[in-house]
Every structure is written in structure tokens, then in C-alpha cells.
Amino acid sequence: MASLHWLPFHFRIYFKILLITFKARLGLVPSYICDMLTAYEPACSLRSSGSNLLTIANSNLKTKGDWAFMVRAPKL
């Protein structure tokens, strides 16, 4: 983490969100964070079925709702 001080602030935020998402997929974080992320399961057999995609949650707020962890993490 000490080597990340040269990154711009918004990239550090993206890195932290992606790190928490990665740990959540492995089950290394508390269960309430794992419950925020849901795996994408297509209705029919697709090539993307085995790519570990996440479902993007719907948000009603355009200003702060889109920055929530459960909305932002699958988009990154």
C-alpha cells in the first residue's frame, strides 16, 4: 500500500473497491460485504457463463446512489 501514494486519489479509490471486491469473491471479508455482490447467472448457456461476472444493482439516486459499493464494484 505504501507504493500507491503516487497514484491520483480517484485511482486509489478504484483500487480499494476492486481489492474489496476480489476479497469478497474469495470469501475473505465479512459476510455483509459478500451479500452485497451477486454473481451474474444468464438464463441460457453463453460463452460468458464462466467468467465470474457480477450483477449490477439498480440505484434510484443518480448523485450518490451510483457510488454505492454494490453498484460501483460490478461496473469496474
Side-chain angles (χ1 to χ4, degrees), residues 1-2 10 20 23 27-29 31 36 40 45-46 48 69:
M1 285 301 270
H10 60 278
I20 292 171
K23 288 182 177 182
L28 301 175
V29 293
S31 62
M36 289 183 193
Y40 173 69
S45 179
L46 300 173
S48 63
F69 176 74

Side-chain angles (χ1 to χ4, degrees), residues 12-72:
R12 281 189 252 171
I13 293 172
Y14 290 159
F15 175 78
K16 191 65 172 179
I17 292 172
L18 290 171
L19 182 66
I20 292 171
T21 305
F22 176 73
K23 288 182 177 182
R25 298 292 288 168
L26 295 178
L28 301 175
V29 293
S31 62
Y32 68 91
I33 294 177
C34 293
D35 293 341
M36 289 183 193
L37 302 173
T38 55
Y40 173 69
E41 298 173 7
C44 58
S45 179
L46 300 173
R47 287 188 296 174
S48 63
S49 297
S51 61
N52 292 328
L53 297 175
L54 297 172
T55 303
I56 299 173
N58 295 331
S59 67
N60 295 332
L61 302 173
K62 289 295 176 189
T63 55
K64 295 181 183 173
D66 286 342
W67 281 98
F69 176 74
M70 61 190 314
V71 175
R72 181 54 68 177

